Amino acid sequence: MTMKDNWQARLIMRLWQVLSKRPPRTLWRLASRFEPVYSLIGVRERRITRMNLRQAFPEVSEKARRQQIHDSLQHSIATMMELGFAWQGDPEAVEKSIVEVHGRELLDEARAEGRGVIVLAPHFGNWEILNFWLSSHFPFTAMYEPPKISALDPVIRHGRERMGAQLVPTTSRGVAALLKALKRSEAIGILPDQVPDWGSGEFAEFFGYPAYTATLLPRLVSRTDARVVTGVARRREDRRGFDIHFLKADERVYAREDEALSARGVNASVEAAIALDAMQYQWEYKRYRRTPGQRDNVPGWRERRFYKQGRSGRKL
């Protein structure tokens, strides 16, 4: 680890420690104050957010789009500021911040039937609050990949495991652990909107554009009798806490013999969760960074890729 990484790790850990003592409402206010600065320095994030929102909501006016970008970036900042609260805050305070839980019966019914539950947890609201709640109430297993700054690994790992979650590596050994958990009628978590490596996904529409989508889900479904639900932790309108929502997944996720159809079901499930409050989704992520032309080595794919560099001086 370089000296720069060590310095960054110390600063981030100190910031999480300080913010862990602040309630969600205060963290939201801090995010509001920091958004104008972030909007100026985060040129890439603002540009990607604009492109993704334009694809998802083409009918929106430019004035409304600017408001969407502002709201989206503020939610993303709030998520980052809430990490200390989710990972290091007093467990009673974190539990109290979760005001309502909708759809819990989907998990309870599945476990009563002796079935495991696969929770699709997209980058919406605060997914670390969702992890906190799931691992507090159910035997819960999720894949984990250490951060690029290795010094942060113990803090993040402890934060995610402190309520009982079991973290497994993003390898075949981790997949085997997920299967075992499902066969024990437990819950597992999967990130459905993270772009996988080549060979681990299929292209499926996401807001009308092909997105390379992981195919781990149909492989797990084909070997278990698990129920699939989408889970999110949505910030309440008063910003004083969160509501947990569990939604039935699109039926196409159960297409065991058709990975492309299952992937479309995954993306449709994520779209349904986004509909709860679209600006709480992390739109600055390059969801379309892989393209069919790139995979198939079609000439000219670089010119046709979704994300193109902004020109110098161009209004982003």
Side-chain angles (χ1 to χ4, degrees):
M1 185 174 65
T2 65
M3 184 177 297
K4 179 182 177 182
D5 287 342
N6 185 57
W7 177 83
Q8 286 181 330
R10 288 177 179 273
L11 180 62
I12 292 170
M13 287 189 288
R14 177 56 181 162
L15 183 63
W16 284 341
Q17 186 179 30
V18 171
L19 296 180
S20 70
K21 299 175 174 59
R22 305 295 190 271
R25 179 64 173 171
T26 299
L27 296 174
W28 176 258
R29 288 172 178 166
L30 289 173
S32 177
R33 293 174 183 174
F34 188 68
E35 189 279 329
V37 177
Y38 182 65
S39 188
L40 286 174
I41 64 177
V43 175
R44 173 195 172 278
E45 288 75 13
R46 185 177 179 84
R47 180 173 65 86
I48 299 304
T49 297
R50 175 183 290 278
M51 295 178 71
N52 285 337
L53 287 171
R54 184 179 294 150
Q55 176 62 34
F57 308 102
E59 74 287 351
V60 170
S61 68
E62 274 307 303
K63 180 179 180 181
R65 179 97 61 226
R66 288 193 293 272
Q67 186 63 46
Q68 283 185 330
I69 294 169
H70 169 276
D71 294 345
S72 175
L73 293 178
Q74 185 171 337
H75 276 289
S76 293
I77 296 166
T79 298
M80 296 302 103
M81 289 187 167
E82 291 160 359
L83 292 180
F85 178 71
W87 290 337
Q88 301 178 29
D90 177 65
E92 186 175 338
V94 179
E95 181 72 30
K96 189 176 179 180
S97 75
I98 301 170
V99 182
E100 294 186 69
V101 178
H102 306 271
R104 174 175 176 155
E105 66 276 5
L106 296 175
L107 286 76
D108 291 333
E109 289 169 3
R111 299 199 68 218
E113 296 168 0
R115 303 167 64 183
V117 181
I118 301 173
V119 180
L120 303 178
H123 291 86
F124 176 102
N126 193 316
W127 49 93
E128 298 298 344
I129 294 293
L130 177 66
N131 174 81
F132 177 96
W133 188 90
L134 280 166
S135 56
S136 299
H137 295 82
F138 297 92
F140 181 65
T141 303
M143 283 187 158
Y144 173 73
E145 187 171 356
K148 293 180 180 179
I149 301 178
S150 59
L152 295 176
D153 180 58
V155 178
I156 297 174
R157 182 179 291 274
H158 177 268
R160 290 180 174 174
E161 291 182 329
R162 67 175 179 146
M163 303 309 294
Q166 179 184 2
L167 301 183
V168 298
T170 55
T171 62
S172 58
R173 185 165 64 89
V175 174
L178 295 181
L179 284 168
K180 289 179 181 178
L182 290 174
K183 290 176 181 179
R184 293 193 299 266
S185 304
E186 296 176 1
I188 70 166
I190 290 180
L191 295 174
D193 53 354
Q194 196 165 40
V195 179
D197 294 332
W198 287 121
S200 299
E202 289 283 351
F203 282 98
E205 278 197 2
F206 181 62
F207 287 102
Y209 196 90
Y212 197 57
T213 305
T215 51
L216 174 60
L217 179 66
R219 297 170 190 176
L220 294 174
V221 168
S222 67
R223 298 179 62 180
T224 67
D225 191 31
R227 173 177 287 178
V228 185
V229 303
T230 309
V232 297
R234 180 181 63 86
R235 290 183 192 86
R236 292 172 63 87
E237 290 185 6
D238 61 11
R239 310 307 186 207
R240 295 182 183 278
F242 307 87
D243 287 344
I244 302 288
H245 294 263
F246 293 107
L247 310 172
K248 285 185 178 181
D250 185 283
E251 288 297 319
R252 287 170 287 186
V253 301
Y254 298 103
R256 304 184 182 198
E257 304 301 323
D258 190 336
E259 291 188 342
L261 183 61
S262 177
R264 178 65 190 106
V266 169
N267 287 343
S269 300
V270 175
E271 290 171 359
I274 291 172
L276 293 171
D277 188 339
M279 294 311 104
Q280 294 204 36
Y281 188 63
Q282 193 177 50
W283 294 106
E284 67 264 34
Y285 181 62
K286 283 189 174 183
R287 186 66 181 88
Y288 306 113
R289 72 167 182 247
R290 298 193 188 279
T291 70
Q294 178 184 10
R295 180 187 63 179
D296 303 330
N297 199 27
V298 175
W301 70 265
R302 290 182 183 277
E303 290 72 26
R304 294 192 297 272
R305 58 189 170 183
F306 188 88
Y307 301 110
K308 296 175 182 173
Q309 298 298 322
R311 298 172 184 172
S312 179
R314 180 182 174 185
K315 194 173 182 179
L316 300 173

